[in-house]
Amino acid sequence: MLLTSAFLINEAAFPDQFTIFPWMHSACNQRTDAEQLRGVGVPDVPPCDLVPGPNFFSMCAGDFVEVYSRDESAGAFDCVATCFFIDTAHNVIEYLEIISRVLRPGGHWINLGPLLYHWADSTGDDMSVELSLEEIRSVAQQLGLVLLREDVVDAPYIANQCGMFKTVYQACFWTMVKQGGDASDKQAESAAGGHSHQHPGSSPLPCV
């Protein structure tokens, strides 16, 4: 995963620059031979198109807790975006604490994903703290994160759109703001009247 990410970040210059064949070794649930052997162009959007110039994008390989618990990360970010991520934690509360800590007052947390806790069925000494969605909202609120918007969206996972089998999560998609500062307080006040919108089958915003 890290090698692929590093390659695309550093080498991809235009859309569909490289062709991969992700299903050629998988014979299950294929409708035709041609669909099994079809290629897919990557990346759909080159990372260089997402930033205004050099040195605006970087990749940090490491444990989220270890990397962003450092003092220099406190209040360092205007926005934290997590995609299919928070359920990778041994202790999801620890993730929430770090997200709140690294955000500046008025900063936003955008999250998309399910709660398929990776360590739930582990054996041995691996800790796993598994909260419900309701409990995560409550912990986030106690950490000063105010829910502005919440939707439920159908999120295919490693889906072969031409295949006979698909995994689709009804994932939670939300935006929260860290309290502090006039702008975030006004946003929190406007969100207090009602912020939950359940739309199974809707699509997340393109930027996430």
Side-chain angles (χ1 to χ4, degrees):
M1 183 182 297
L2 290 176
L3 290 174
T4 303
S5 298
F7 177 78
L8 290 176
I9 289 171
N10 292 293
E11 302 298 332
F14 53 87
D16 301 328
Q17 182 175 356
F18 307 102
T19 301
I20 62 174
F21 301 86
W23 301 286
M24 66 179 300
H25 295 300
S26 176
C28 297
N29 292 306
Q30 301 288 353
R31 296 180 187 275
T32 67
D33 293 342
E35 290 175 355
Q36 179 183 355
L37 299 175
R38 78 185 189 281
V40 177
V42 294
D44 54 346
V45 179
C48 59
D49 288 353
L50 301 176
V51 292
N55 302 320
F56 281 89
F57 190 89
S58 64
M59 181 178 71
C60 179
D63 180 86
F64 180 73
V65 174
E66 293 180 4
V67 171
Y68 293 104
S69 293
R70 300 167 184 167
D71 291 340
E72 60 265 28
S73 295
F77 296 94
D78 293 313
C79 181
V80 173
T82 51
C83 183
F84 278 68
F85 176 70
I86 62 173
D87 55 0
T88 66
H90 283 282
N91 182 353
V92 67
I93 296 175
E94 194 170 31
Y95 274 18
L96 298 179
E97 290 174 338
I98 293 173
I99 290 170
S100 177
R101 182 172 179 269
V102 302
L103 281 173
R104 297 186 179 101
H108 290 77
W109 175 28
I110 303 170
N111 176 72
L112 170 69
L115 294 176
L116 182 66
Y117 290 106
H118 288 207
W119 303 97
D121 299 322
S122 62
T123 58
D125 297 328
D126 289 320
M127 176 181 66
S128 181
V129 176
E130 301 138 25
L131 301 186
S132 67
L133 185 58
E134 179 183 38
E135 291 171 321
I136 288 178
R137 291 194 204 101
S138 177
V139 172
Q141 183 177 15
Q142 294 175 53
L143 293 170
L145 297 168
V146 178
L147 185 65
L148 299 180
R149 170 184 172 177
E150 181 179 15
D151 296 282
V152 174
V153 299
D154 287 347
Y157 187 75
I158 317 181
N160 179 357
Q161 297 300 325
C162 297
M164 300 167 63
F165 176 83
K166 297 177 181 65
T167 298
V168 180
Y169 291 100
Q170 288 195 321
C172 194
F173 177 43
W174 70 61
T175 301
M176 296 188 186
V177 62
K178 184 175 180 179
Q179 288 180 312
D182 294 339
S184 64
D185 292 341
K186 289 179 181 178
Q187 286 179 308
E189 289 175 6
S190 65
H195 46 61
S196 182
H197 307 279
Q198 306 296 320
H199 299 301
S202 61
S203 298
L205 295 177
C207 60
V208 175

